[in-house]
Amino acid sequence: MNEIPHHGAPDAAPDAAVQVIRPTGLRSRFVFASPHSGSAYPAAFLDRSALSLAELRRSEDAHVDALMADAPGLGAPLVRALFPRSLIDPNRAETELDPVLFGPQAHAIAGRISQRAAAGLGIVPRLAGEGCAIYDGPLEMAEAEARIRLYYRPYHAALAAELEAARASFGSSVLIDCHSMPSASARGADIVLGDRFGASCAPEITDCAERLFRAEGFRVVRNRPYAGGFSTEHYGCPAEGRHALQIEINRALYMHERSLARTVGFDRLREKIARVTAGLIATDTGLARAAE
């Protein structure tokens, strides 16, 4: 199995926001995405941060892109953010601005402040790692605008293009939005499937994913504690043939959560995920008929 370089592939510029790894031949309507595994930290961001790089990196869904690296070889594209979520979070709406960081301007733009933004986890996160403040003080709105322009919008433009290509070829699309979760918040689950309680994905697709993960020996839970974020809400509308399913993987299965170093379980987990991915793609024709 080919490895994905942790800091970007040779065809990606060092300061690129996103990398799309496409199959040699598109064989399914599935598009896999890893929005939170980026680890290319801009020097200016590190200089401004009150936290160390090690503390910032605890916010990453580290190695999730590598866990999903077999998807292109199986016929589905993989879209991976190269920037870190502590810089800007692509799983948030553009208007999810933190009033602590941006003051009254956040209210003027967002209107009603979302719970995530109020908790310090908006599109420009105020907190990282284990709830530590990233900055010593507020930020200018121009900073948020620049990050949205340089990182957030290119990521979503790339993701939207792959989903549109899937719809053009197959009549519908399925986003598999891939994340990892701290073992402390997993509530005993190995895998949490989030379909916003059925609102973002046809039940046949979620059922198939659950069955395939369980066949590999995983403890699978739906929607608790993670039902899906902005991406599942934004890209998932089953009535229009747009499906989105979030997958959360327990970090304890494959890495040391403090150091982020991979454990001996990484390779075995990747092999299991590859079999789940292959199973989804292999049954895609039947799933497409069932979801219509």
Side-chain angles (χ1 to χ4, degrees):
M1 292 183 289
N2 296 326
E3 190 64 70
I4 294 181
H6 194 53
H7 290 277
D11 61 347
D15 58 347
V18 60
Q19 182 189 25
V20 179
I21 306 170
R22 297 185 180 90
T24 53
L26 191 64
R27 298 197 293 275
S28 84
R29 60 187 178 146
F30 285 88
V31 175
F32 291 79
S34 182
H36 288 161
S37 56
S39 60
Y41 287 78
F45 172 58
L46 293 175
D47 289 342
R48 184 154 197 176
S49 173
L51 301 180
S52 67
L53 176 60
E55 290 170 313
L56 290 170
R57 292 206 64 200
R58 292 194 190 114
S59 290
E60 292 175 22
D61 287 348
H63 314 303
V64 166
D65 52 354
L67 286 172
M68 309 308 301
D70 297 290
L74 295 168
L78 173 62
V79 180
R80 56 189 292 253
L82 303 181
F83 55 89
R85 69 185 299 187
S86 54
L87 176 73
I88 189 162
D89 191 339
N91 201 25
R92 300 288 183 264
E94 286 194 16
T95 56
E96 287 191 82
L97 294 163
D98 187 332
V100 175
L101 280 181
F102 299 106
Q105 293 181 86
H107 291 276
I109 293 172
R112 181 175 177 272
I113 302 297
S114 74
Q115 290 184 339
R116 292 178 297 209
L121 301 174
I123 185 172
V124 177
R126 171 168 44 92
L127 305 177
E130 297 164 348
C132 300
I134 299 175
Y135 309 100
D136 291 327
L139 299 178
E140 296 292 332
M141 186 59 67
E143 181 69 27
E145 293 168 349
R147 295 183 192 184
I148 289 170
R149 182 179 70 255
L150 295 173
Y151 300 99
Y152 181 95
R153 288 176 182 163
Y155 171 83
H156 280 286
L159 180 56
E162 296 306 309
L163 292 168
E164 183 55 39
R167 284 193 291 277
S169 295
F170 301 99
S172 60
S173 62
V174 183
L175 169 63
I176 304 294
D177 206 42
C178 305
H179 300 260
S180 67
M181 57 186 171
S183 58
S185 66
R187 302 180 186 176
D190 296 321
I191 303 291
V192 175
L193 301 177
D195 62 2
R196 300 186 65 82
F197 298 94
S200 69
C201 188
E204 293 84 1
I205 298 172
T206 309
D207 289 345
C208 182
E210 180 173 359
R211 183 170 62 253
L212 290 167
F213 276 115
R214 288 190 182 278
E216 295 292 337
F218 294 109
R219 295 167 292 182
V220 183
V221 175
R222 293 196 193 187
N223 293 308
R224 300 186 188 279
Y226 303 104
F230 168 76
S231 291
T232 47
E233 181 179 12
H234 182 70
Y235 294 108
C237 183
E240 297 177 1
R242 299 185 293 112
H243 307 272
L245 177 64
Q246 179 174 286
I247 295 177
E248 294 275 358
I249 304 167
N250 190 323
R251 293 174 184 169
L253 294 175
Y254 69 94
M255 75 176 190
H256 296 288
E257 295 184 71
R258 295 292 295 179
S259 69
L260 309 189
R262 298 177 185 180
T263 64
V264 294
F266 177 88
D267 289 337
R268 186 180 179 190
L269 176 60
R270 178 174 169 180
E271 290 172 358
K272 289 185 174 186
I273 288 175
R275 287 196 291 269
V276 170
T277 300
L280 281 170
I281 291 172
T283 57
D284 188 43
T285 300
L287 286 171
R289 290 198 192 103
E292 288 174 352

